[in-house]
Amino acid sequence: MKKIKILLCIALIAALSLAVIACDNNDTPATPDAPAQDVTPPAGSGDFDWRAHAGTTLNIMFNQHPYADTVIERIPEFEALTGITVRHSVTPEENYFDVLTLALNARSGNPDIFMTGAYQIWDYAPAGFIQPLEDFINDPARTFPGYNFADFYEAVVGALRWDLVPGNMVGTGSQWALPMGFELNNLAFNQRIFDEHGLEPPRTTEELLTAAKALHEFNGPGTYGVALRGTRNWATIHPGYMTLFATWGARDFEVVDGRLVSRVDSPEAIAMTDFWVELIRYGGPPQWTTYTWYQAGASFGAGNAAMLFDATCNGYFQNYPAGASAESGNLAWLPGPLPPGATYSRSNIWIWSMAMNAYSQNQDAAWLFMQYFTGPEFQAWAGTRNPDAPRRSVSTSAEYIGVVGASVGYLEALEADLPHATIQFTPQPEFIQTTTMWAATLQDLVAGQYSSTEEAMRNLAERKTALLANVEIPQ
């Protein structure tokens, strides 16, 4: 059986590699001698040679997401500018990181570049799968003059920096990836539904629960108060739940005597989770355990949910462009709701990013791709399509403000939450497993399989601490 499993893994990796290679969006590979088409280089390029690696073929792995869509749309321009052929694959988020992990474990150098979140860096970087980027960023021979790394919001780009020490928060160490776009987590609501029911948009957790209960079946069976994620997956914990968890004053881990100890059983953690369970039971989706990013956003856009506590852009894509959903034009935003005693929301941040495979044989060509698609000019174009722009020059431009600011309250909510936003999780090597355990506990709590929230969270804390018992923290 062991041999069979090994052979199956090898076959899956081989199939994955072929799939990535086969997903070519250009039937005519470029050659070093092919003449450059009349494509204008990004502003600020100066004498930078965008065709230094013409004839190279790059393989890119994307998660299925609007951020990936904007990059894919402009790949032909990049190919014409550089003479580089780009082949890409797109995988739904439910399977994406499993597929990517298999590919990276093969150490074949394929893909050359991959889309990632910050949490996955805590696994991939210590394993040696990701190439640090600071030597590329700081080399004027490799980076075009107008790239302007300092233009990135530090709260965003700094979250992709880590020193590889479990328990140390993000912000220091190597730059492991570059942001394509980020997502805060706040509250979106349907202004039409609230007006029809004479309700004020909630700004506190008490008001949120009251409104969610009042809007239970507001338009018959299947309609409800607030859309929330609920699958047994780490992605259930990181948006609204983790934002409110941190705002409530709770922490996931603490370093004690050189070991990571779970603190999900603190009084603050128990109180917050107790609130969350009540919110789901009396105001959440009837099929909550099936809800991912996609289901939560679609339900909100269809008018089945009166509110959405999730990624900022999840609701935005239902509101823009006009006609994007049944409720397009009716949606509005607020900063994250505040529990008693809190004066601002501590939003957990998610950053869809590009990282370079440490085993890539085409790293200089890969760096051209990365800087082109995270540079100011491309991100200015993408910013009116993807609303959470990681560059200051984009988010303060008149075009961006005119387009994104048309969604009521969106920019104001971002402005309120971004100064206090960061990754609220503690970096550690078992992030995926411990957070998936957390989601499973939340499901079991909602299903009534524990006598109390305190019992559930104490049990979870013990299991999380035990899982990390052998992780030593350098002193």
Side-chain angles (χ1 to χ4, degrees), residues 86-172:
V86 177
R87 294 170 174 167
H88 69 272
S89 65
V90 179
T91 306
E93 187 169 341
E94 292 83 43
N95 312 109
Y96 175 72
F97 288 110
D98 293 333
V99 175
L100 174 60
T101 299
L102 281 171
L104 295 177
N105 270 299
R107 292 175 169 82
S108 67
N110 183 6
D112 298 285
I113 299 167
F114 54 92
M115 196 165 161
T116 187
Y119 313 146
Q120 287 69 28
I121 290 171
W122 308 339
D123 184 14
Y124 298 154
F129 295 152
I130 308 182
Q131 181 66 32
L133 298 175
E134 53 268 20
D135 288 346
F136 292 90
I137 295 167
N138 298 324
D139 186 346
R142 286 168 153 173
T143 302
F144 77 98
Y147 185 68
N148 192 11
F149 181 79
D151 186 37
F152 287 113
Y153 283 112
E154 177 57 26
V156 179
V157 77
L160 302 172
R161 205 177 295 131
W162 185 47
D163 63 7
L164 302 182
V165 178
N168 283 3
M169 300 305 283
V170 298
T172 61

Side-chain angles (χ1 to χ4, degrees), residues 166 258-260 429-430 463-474:
R259 303 287 181 181
L260 282 164
E430 299 292 346
R463 289 185 289 127
K464 289 173 68 139
T465 298
L467 186 63
L468 294 168
N470 295 323
V471 176
E472 295 186 8
I473 311 298

Side-chain angles (χ1 to χ4, degrees), residues 184-191 194 200-209 211-212 215 225-228 239-240 243-244 275-276 279 300 306-316 331-338 345 347 408-410 412-414 417:
L184 299 187
N185 293 281
N186 59 15
L187 191 68
F189 66 99
N190 188 312
Q191 186 69 66
F194 270 72
E200 290 295 321
R203 295 184 176 273
T204 68
T205 51
E206 182 181 0
E207 292 170 354
L208 173 61
L209 183 60
L215 291 165
V226 57
L228 308 164
T243 292
L244 198 53
F275 167 86
W276 198 256
L279 183 65
F300 182 54
M307 294 176 284
L308 171 71
F309 195 172
D310 201 82
T312 40
C313 66
N314 197 358
Y316 181 87
L331 310 181
W333 280 261
L334 288 170
L338 301 179
S345 176
S347 179
V408 176
Y410 194 91
E412 293 81 359
L414 275 181
D417 285 351

